[in-house]
Structure formats: structure tokens, C-alpha cells
Amino acid sequence: MTPTLTVSDEVRALAPGFTHVAVEAHGLVNGPSTEATSALLDDAGRRLARRLDGRAPHEDPHMAAWREVYTAFGSKPSRTRNSAEALARRALADSGLPRINVLVDLYNAVSVARLIPVGGEDTDRIRGAMRLVRATGDEDFVTVAGGAEVVEHPDAGEVVWSDDEGVTCRRWNWRQGPRTRLTEESVSALFLLESLAPMPVADVESAGAELAELLEKFSPGARITVHAPE
């Protein structure tokens, strides 16, 4: 069953150029990172380097737009970077991108190569509808610190993804909570690719199609739907 996704009017007003593409997948096969997914991540780093052509990630127009939006809702973008910029910085460092598991490697590769924030949610762990809203500050965000589960609360006005149980991702796409992360046991997922103007909508559509092709390659027989941009 496809989770309902809604974007609040307050978020639309904050970022009128926001677009997201959802890729829904069922019957996936996940597991530890492989040589093939590792090669994809290395190639994504090379694609990123060609795209930037010597610039820092934050100098890319799309990343600059995300920094402006983060500033607009009260976050410091040099300290809490959007997920694509944070991954891009790691891709360009000597240590390179982390290897997590097959599904996470696939969407991280697309995110880095395309400079688009991409997130993956285990749909079996989502509770009710997913909403992109500006937080009141009272919502629960369950995370892990020092090996123990802790409950945080977003800042008032912060943009968050949440479901009926609580916040699933803070500061738009900065930090995902562990409850809905894709693990090696995940078989169904919802991937969100998020863009802002000036990135053309066609670019995020193309990124969604690339992710769908990778999912089909690594999970033959999976049922994959790429939803129209919203």
C-alpha cells in the first residue's frame, strides 16, 4: 500500500520551487554492500567531480538553493547540511562514501551523482500518512545517542518529515530516525528524491528513473512504481 505523502502549505510558502519524486518498491532484496554497489558509489564520486569541475559542493546552484531554504527555517546550513551536500563532501574526501547496505548504497549513489537529496524509508515501518511540515517543537524524534535510544524534539518552525508516530527525518532531509531506515531485512521501500528551483523538474524525474533502473537490476522481479513529481 502506498503511503500518502502531503506537503503543508507552510512548507510550500517557504520553498515554492520544491518538487519531490517518489519511487515505490516492493519485493526488494537487500543485504550487505557488494563489490557491485561499491563500484557504483565510486563511479558516483567520479560523476560528481565532473559535475562540480573544481567547485565545492555548496557552490552548485542546487545546493546553494538548499542552503537558502535551511537558513529560512532557522538552521545553519554550514553545520547541518542537506543530505546531498553532506554525502558529496564525503565522496570528495579521501575516505570516500560509506558502504551501508545494497539499497542505501543505490540511493546514495544517485544522490551523489545527481546532487539531489534522496531518502529511503521502510514502508513496513511507516505509521499512517507521511507529512512534510513545519514543526511546533513538541513532536518526538526518536534517535540513538551513545548506544541508547533518546527522544529529541525539533525546533519550532523546523521543516520535518513525520508520520502518525512521530518525526521520521529532521531538518527536512538532514537526519533520518532509525525507526524507518532501510535495513538488510527491508523488502518494501519508499524513496524520496527532493529538489528545489533552479533544478529543472526533468532532472529529478531522470534521477528517479535512474534509481528505478538500479532497483530493478539489483532486485529482479521487484514491483517498482515511479510516481509523478509533486
Side-chain angles (χ1 to χ4, degrees):
M1 183 175 178
T2 305
T4 301
L5 300 175
T6 59
V7 179
S8 73
D9 291 342
E10 286 185 319
V11 172
R12 292 290 187 193
L14 180 74
F18 174 63
T19 300
H20 70 269
V21 168
V23 179
E24 182 184 358
H26 302 277
L28 294 167
V29 178
N30 202 7
S33 300
T34 66
E35 289 186 7
T37 63
S38 184
L40 275 174
L41 291 169
D42 289 339
D43 182 62
R46 291 188 288 269
R47 290 169 65 185
L48 171 68
R50 290 194 296 270
R51 181 189 188 99
L52 291 174
D53 192 24
R55 295 174 299 166
H58 70 267
E59 295 176 297
D60 177 86
H62 190 216
M63 296 297 93
W66 277 104
R67 283 193 165 216
E68 289 178 8
V69 167
Y70 268 50
T71 299
F73 67 76
S75 289
K76 295 181 179 179
S78 59
R79 188 172 64 187
T80 55
R81 297 176 176 88
N82 77 80
S83 64
E85 184 183 333
L87 276 176
R89 287 168 59 90
R90 296 187 71 172
L92 297 174
D94 291 340
S95 57
L97 288 165
R99 275 59 173 164
I100 308 297
N101 58 53
V102 169
L103 294 179
V104 175
D105 290 354
L106 296 186
Y107 79 71
N108 278 350
V110 172
S111 177
V112 167
R114 301 283 191 144
L115 268 185
I116 295 173
V118 184
E121 306 281 346
D122 187 324
T123 51
D124 292 330
R125 300 182 179 191
I126 295 171
R127 300 293 175 255
M130 290 191 66
R131 300 172 292 276
L132 186 65
V133 300
R134 300 197 70 174
T136 64
D138 297 325
E139 300 90 345
D140 289 344
F141 177 71
V142 180
T143 187
V144 175
E149 187 176 281
V150 297
V151 178
E152 298 177 353
H153 302 284
D155 299 327
E158 181 182 323
V159 176
V160 297
W161 278 104
S162 63
D163 65 5
D164 291 352
E165 194 167 313
V167 172
T168 58
C169 195
R170 286 199 59 189
R171 296 195 175 101
W172 208 314
N173 48 47
W174 167 65
R175 179 185 291 170
Q176 184 183 27
R179 173 169 59 89
T180 58
R181 283 178 187 162
L182 294 174
T183 69
E184 293 181 14
E185 289 72 43
S186 298
V187 295
S188 295
L190 185 70
F191 301 91
L192 287 174
L193 299 86
E194 301 180 304
S195 70
L196 296 171
M199 175 169 278
V201 173
D203 285 7
V204 69
E205 288 183 292
S206 175
E210 180 179 354
L211 178 56
E213 289 175 5
L214 289 172
L215 294 170
E216 290 169 357
K217 177 181 178 180
F218 283 83
S219 292
R223 303 181 305 281
I224 300 167
T225 304
V226 181
H227 296 277
E230 294 184 20

